[in-house]
Each structure stands twice: as C-alpha cells, then as structure tokens.
C-alpha cells in the first residue's frame, strides 16, 4: 500500500507524529520535497527527536528511509543529523539519499538571506536555509546533485564555473560581499563525499522493487498545501510542491500506485513567516493558544502566528491533494477554550468564497465568516478512543469533517506516540 501524507495548512501540523505512528507498519518512508526548512517532531519513550532532512521513520530499524530526488539536501545538515542520531545510539543503516537529489550549497543560505534583506518590507520570512536559491539553481540547470559528489573532476569544473562565473559576480558586484573561493569549497565537498558515500544511491530500483513486492510505503510531505509554489499564497510560499503531485515527482512513484492521501491538519491554524492568514487571532486568545501549544518554530525558533481552524483552507487542501482521510492534531491545545470558532469561508465584495483566494491582494478586503461552538473545557490527553472524548469535542471534530469533506480518522491528543485516538479503518493492516 502506498500512502501520501501532506500538510493541509501552513506547516507544522504534526506530520512527524503521524509518520512515526504509521511507520511502525511501513517498510519504507520517503521524503519527497523541501529540505531542512522542515522540522518534524517525533516523541518516543527515548525523548524528543526533531528531524529536518531525516525521514521520520528512521527510529524503526525495520524501516528503509529514503531522501528522494525532489528534496534539496544540505550535506552539512544531513551529516549533523546522522551524527546526532548516532550519539543517541541509532545507526541509520537503512538510510539512502537519491543521487538525483540536489544539494543546498554553502552559498545558498547566504543568497537566501541577502535576497530577503534586499526585499525590505516585502520580505517573505523564509527560514534562511537556502531552499529557494537551491531550487532556483535546479531549475536554471546550474545545481549540484548529491551524485555529483562522487565525481571530483566534474565537481571541480562545475564549481569553477558556477561559483567563479555565476555566483561571485553577483555576490561582489550586487551585494558587496567577498568572493567565494571555489577551490576550498571543492576540498570541503570532497570531505562530505567521503562521509556520505555509503548513503548515496540510485533510489529508483530500491523504490520500485519495494513497490513490486507490495511493501507499505509512506511518502512524507514537508511544508504544506498553503506553502505550495503553485497552490499556496504566492509569493509567500516555499519553493517546492508540498502537495500530492510533488510527492510523485519527488520520488518517482507513479500516480497509479497511490492508494491513499492523508491530510494532516492542526485543530486550529498556525503560520510562520509573512503572508495572508485570514483567520489569524491577534488577541489574547491567540496568545493563550501560542503559549499553551509552545508555538515557536522547530527550525528557526520564531513565534508562530495563530488563528482559528480555517475550513476553507482545509477544504481546498482536501480537493487539491485528493485527501481520503484526515488527521486532526493538537486538539488538546484547545482544551481550556470556553468557545471555539471555525472559519467556514470568506465574504469578499458581497460574494461568498468557499476556497482560498488566488489573488492575495484581495485578502485585505475579505471578511472571514465564523461558526462558534462550545468548548469542552476538559483535558483530553488520556483519551484513547472516540468515546473517551467529551461530547463537545466530538461535535467539533465531526463539524470539521463535514466542512472539509473528508473523514477525520486520526486525532492527536498530545505529543507522545500513545496520545492518539484512531477512528475507522486500520491503515496498513
Ligand atoms: P510537523 O512539521 O508537521 O511535523 O510538525 P512540528 O513537529 O513542526 O510541530 C508539531 C508539534 O506538535 C511538535 O512539537 C509535536 O511534538 C507536537 N504534536 C504533534 N501532535 C500533537 C498533538 O496531538 N498534541 C500536542 N499537544 N502536540 C502534538
Ligand atoms: P514543516 O515541514 C512551517 C515557511 C517559512 C516561510 C516560507 C518560505 O516543518 O511543516 P523557505 O525557507 O521554505 O523558503 O520559507 O515557508 N516554511 C515553513 N513553515 N513549517 C515548515 O515545514 C516550513 N518550511 C518552510 O516560514 O514562511
Ligand atoms: Mg515543522
């Protein structure tokens, strides 16, 4: 069985936790896009793990973990994650990186920062991890792929060209920075080549052998639908396609092999970085949720913006990704709210809109429409089945399911592995 898992809002929905739950019965987990702008948290009896490039199935020794061709890999970060795992007694024996995956090079985070600074008030609020510049170079066909690390002469020639003739003139003439020394970069990258060599592979046969043998395969999306380059709030998006289509091009799995797409949603909404956020709470309720939910970025530590659950956004995510089953995470964070609200759509120039608006300048003039429901004001962290949840809480979940057009089959009631309420079918059984 092949399952795609996508974020349904603006990221940090709890994808890592859902992958960890499903990976116990999967033979393979594949990261398909994004890079170390992602921060996926898994909490086990051994403590908390925050994965940036590492697929979230890595804690299961039976699970093959693949960093797919669609990911942009910063070798420095990957090596750091590997050594952090080793320090905690985990040897990533079944980790493979597609030789087709592009690299985030030393200069990409620098360009990310310089470009953001030059945008001034129009900056996007990127993670400064070099993601946009790395994907831009991939599209410009001046990117370096992980497999290039195994070809020193090729690296030498290409670094001389890309750094010497493309990057340095812009760095020095446009940004007034020092030129980069490509020869020392070559030595540096040859060092990474040696350390990463056991992990680099043509992952096409590996993935297709697994498909042919009927293995359970999970495609782990990073970021989310509203950060999608095409379907998100452009230009306030990331530079990849976190929607279901991106999972296919980012792994080489054909659409005909996919059995299910799971959409992961938070029981409210959060967003890091700038851009439209119609249901944003700029009041003390937003502050309360942020505090209770420790809503500070996994990657950058920035305070996340908080808002009510936006059913127009989630409905759109269900449609764009073909979500067959939804996970509603962090429901427990709303435990102490006397009243919970759901944004059901937007009113704009006298018309009702049930989906996000393509033209982001219209958000300034649109009015979100809300439905209010009674809160449950009870701790749900120990609930393990549907009937353990208070009635008002079940009503909230049911209403969200109705509004978004997908059944909510997984409910997060806390950060730990066991804090899950599962409804409906058993996936992977
Ligand atoms: P991801 O990027 O989608 O994987 O999500 P993050 O890891 O960035 O953020 C989700 C945060 O919520 C992490 O700190 C998780 O440990 C935590 N988390 C996941 N599910 C739940 C849940 O159901 N309840 C609570 N309280 N925390 C959760
Ligand atoms: P996970 O996988 C939340 C946001 C950044 C910024 C925008 C562009 O943990 O859900 P980028 O560095 O990608 O060019 O930044 O996208 N962003 C995320 N927000 N969760 C993420 O990943 C994100 N990855 C990028 O904050 O607004
Ligand atoms: Mg995250």
């Amino acid at each position: 069985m092949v399952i795609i898992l996508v974020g349904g809002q603006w990221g940090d929905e709890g994808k890592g936790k859902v992958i960890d739950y499903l990976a116990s019965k999967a033979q393979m987990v594949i990261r398909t896009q994004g890079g170390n702008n992602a921060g996926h948290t898994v909490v086990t009896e051994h403590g908390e793990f925050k994965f940036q490039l590492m697929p979230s199935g890595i804690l299961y020794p039976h699970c093959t973990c693949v960093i797919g061709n669609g990911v942009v890999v910063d070798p420095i970060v990957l090596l750091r994650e590997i050594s952090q795992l080793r320090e905690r007694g985990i040897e990533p024996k079944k980790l493979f990186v597609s030789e087709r995956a592009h690299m985030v090079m030393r200069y990409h985070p620098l360009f990310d920062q310089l470009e953001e600074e030059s945008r001034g008030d129009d900056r996007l609020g990127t993670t400064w991890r070099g993601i946009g510049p790395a994907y831009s170079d991939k599209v410009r066909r001046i990117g370096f792929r992980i497999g290039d690390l195994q070809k020193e002469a090729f690296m030498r020639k290409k670094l001389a060209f890309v750094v010497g003739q493309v990057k340095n003139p812009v760095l020095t003439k446009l940004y007034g920075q020092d030129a980069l020394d490509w020869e020392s970069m070559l030595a540096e990258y040859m060092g990474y080549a040696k350390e990463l060599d056991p992990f680099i592979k043509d992952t096409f046969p590996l993935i297709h052998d697994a498909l042919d043998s009927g293995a359970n395969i999970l495609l782990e999306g990073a970021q989310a639908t509203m950060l999608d380059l095409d379907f998100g709030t452009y230009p306030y998006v990331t530079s990849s396609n976190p929607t279901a289509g991106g999972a296919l091009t980012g792994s080489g799995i054909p659409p005909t092999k996919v059995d299910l797409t799971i959409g992961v949603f938070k029981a409210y909404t959060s967003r890091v970085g700038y851009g439209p956020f119609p249901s944003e709470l700029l009041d003390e309720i937003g502050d309360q949720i942020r505090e209770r939910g420790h809503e500070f970025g996994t990657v950058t530590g920035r305070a996340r913006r908080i808002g009510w659950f936006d059913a127009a956004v989630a409905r759109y995510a269900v449609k764009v990704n073909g979500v067959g089953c939804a996970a509603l995470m962090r429901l427990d964070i709303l435990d102490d709210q006397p009243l919970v609200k759901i944004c059901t759509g937007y009113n704009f120039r006298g018309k009702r809109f049930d989906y996000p608006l393509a033209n982001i300048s219209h958000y300034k003039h649109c009015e979100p429409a809300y439905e209010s429901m009674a809160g449950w004001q009870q701790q749900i962290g120990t609930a393990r089945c549907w009937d353990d949840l208070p009635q008002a809480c079940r009503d909230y979940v049911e209403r969200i399911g109705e509004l978004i057009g997908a059944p909510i089959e997984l409910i997060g009631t806390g950060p730990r592995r066991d804090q899950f309420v599962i409804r409906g079918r058993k996936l992977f059984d």
Side-chain angles (χ1 to χ4, degrees):
M1 187 178 194
V2 177
I3 296 182
I4 299 180
L5 187 125
V6 292
Q9 295 153 320
W10 275 282
D12 303 325
E13 295 90 349
K15 298 177 292 292
K17 179 173 158 159
V18 181
I19 290 284
D20 172 68
Y21 167 74
L22 294 170
S24 66
K25 290 197 180 142
Q27 283 77 48
M28 186 176 275
V29 178
I30 311 176
R31 268 287 303 272
T32 56
Q33 42 67 233
N36 61 304
N37 48 348
H40 295 180
T41 317
V42 172
V43 182
T44 75
E45 61 279 18
H46 303 295
E48 189 178 67
F49 295 81
K50 288 182 184 292
F51 301 125
Q52 293 191 256
L53 284 166
M54 203 59 77
S56 300
I58 198 76
L59 302 178
Y60 295 102
H62 70 263
C63 203
T64 299
C65 285
V66 177
I67 298 178
N69 57 280
V71 177
V72 285
V73 180
D74 186 331
I76 306 168
V77 176
L78 180 58
L79 286 167
R80 191 172 64 217
E81 282 199 74
I82 293 171
S83 76
Q84 283 168 349
L85 277 175
R86 285 181 175 147
E87 278 163 23
R88 294 175 78 167
I90 297 154
E91 184 55 40
K93 282 195 199 118
K94 291 185 169 184
L95 172 71
F96 300 103
V97 188
S98 166
E99 53 180 286
R100 292 184 173 87
H102 276 246
M103 278 193 281
V104 172
M105 301 294 286
R106 175 166 287 299
Y107 43 80
H108 286 136
L110 176 62
F111 275 101
D112 200 351
Q113 188 173 344
L114 292 169
E115 284 169 18
E116 274 284 85
E117 280 164 4
S118 66
R119 285 186 189 111
D121 287 346
D122 292 328
R123 65 194 182 279
L124 309 175
T126 75
T127 59
W128 285 6
R129 297 302 185 266
I131 306 301
Y135 277 116
S136 308
D137 282 358
K138 175 178 176 178
V139 175
R140 288 173 75 190
R141 291 162 294 178
I142 55 166
F144 288 85
R145 307 208 296 183
I146 283 282
D148 295 344
L149 287 175
Q150 293 168 323
K151 303 178 283 188
E152 186 170 350
F154 177 87
M155 281 288 284
R156 172 183 297 278
K157 192 167 169 222
K158 196 158 167 185
L159 275 172
F161 169 68
V162 174
V163 176
Q165 301 200 31
V166 184
K167 301 295 170 189
N168 277 344
V170 182
L171 269 181
T172 54
K173 294 189 185 129
L174 184 66
Y175 292 115
Q177 300 280 313
D178 292 338
L180 297 169
D181 171 14
W182 66 264
E183 280 179 311
S184 71
M185 276 182 71
L186 179 67
E188 179 189 335
Y189 279 79
M190 286 304 106
Y192 305 144
K194 225 181 193 165
E195 287 185 80
L196 285 176
D197 194 61
F199 303 102
I200 301 174
K201 212 178 174 67
D202 179 359
T203 53
F204 165 77
L206 185 75
I207 292 173
H208 279 265
D209 286 350
L211 279 174
D212 292 344
S213 71
N216 288 332
I217 302 178
L218 273 168
L219 303 182
E220 176 176 2
Q223 289 81 51
T225 306
M226 295 306 288
L227 290 171
D228 186 275
L229 191 51
D230 291 85
F231 293 102
T233 44
Y234 190 88
Y236 299 95
V237 292
T238 192
S239 295
S240 67
N241 288 115
T243 44
L248 304 179
T249 49
S251 63
I253 292 184
T256 45
K257 298 281 184 192
V258 177
D259 297 284
L260 176 69
T261 299
I262 299 180
V264 186
F265 302 90
K266 251 180 213 191
Y268 49 96
T269 312
S270 71
R271 173 164 205 174
V272 210
Y274 303 103
F277 185 174
S279 67
E280 184 166 13
L281 281 162
L282 296 166
D283 57 9
E284 65 277 16
I285 300 178
D287 296 340
Q288 270 170 26
I289 296 175
R290 184 179 304 104
E291 288 305 315
R292 183 176 160 97
H294 309 292
E295 288 284 7
F296 298 90
T298 313
V299 176
T300 56
R302 287 178 290 177
R304 294 179 183 143
R305 298 157 67 192
I306 303 296
W308 292 121
F309 187 87
D310 186 334
V313 159
R315 191 183 288 133
Y316 176 70
V318 166
K319 292 270 191 208
V320 166
N321 298 292
V323 168
C325 149
L328 191 68
M329 309 303 288
R330 298 179 65 90
L331 189 57
D332 54 296
I333 302 301
L334 299 179
D335 278 355
D336 48 10
Q337 293 300 326
L339 192 85
V340 281
K341 287 192 185 181
I342 304 173
C343 166
T344 55
Y346 319 115
N347 295 317
F348 173 62
R349 291 188 183 148
K351 269 174 72 180
R352 165 83 179 202
F353 288 82
D354 294 331
Y355 296 105
L357 311 172
N359 183 342
I360 65 161
S361 56
H362 289 167
Y363 281 107
K364 275 195 240 74
H365 312 287
C366 94
E367 215 25 71
Y370 288 105
E371 249 179 48
S372 298
M373 298 180 77
W376 44 97
Q377 295 189 278
Q378 205 176 309
Q379 308 295 310
I380 60 165
T382 54
R384 293 295 172 271
C385 66
W386 180 243
D387 291 336
D388 289 344
L389 294 172
Q391 186 60 48
C393 181
R394 283 188 268 162
D395 291 345
Y396 180 67
V397 176
E398 293 282 39
R399 184 66 186 134
I400 286 179
E402 263 167 36
L403 287 167
I404 72 175
I408 294 169
E409 298 190 20
L410 302 149
I411 298 163
T413 57
R416 292 196 320 265
R417 260 183 183 167
D418 61 322
Q419 289 180 304
F420 247 131
V421 167
I422 312 295
R423 287 176 86 195
R425 72 190 117 171
K426 283 243 176 338
L427 298 159
F428 284 160
D429 269 355

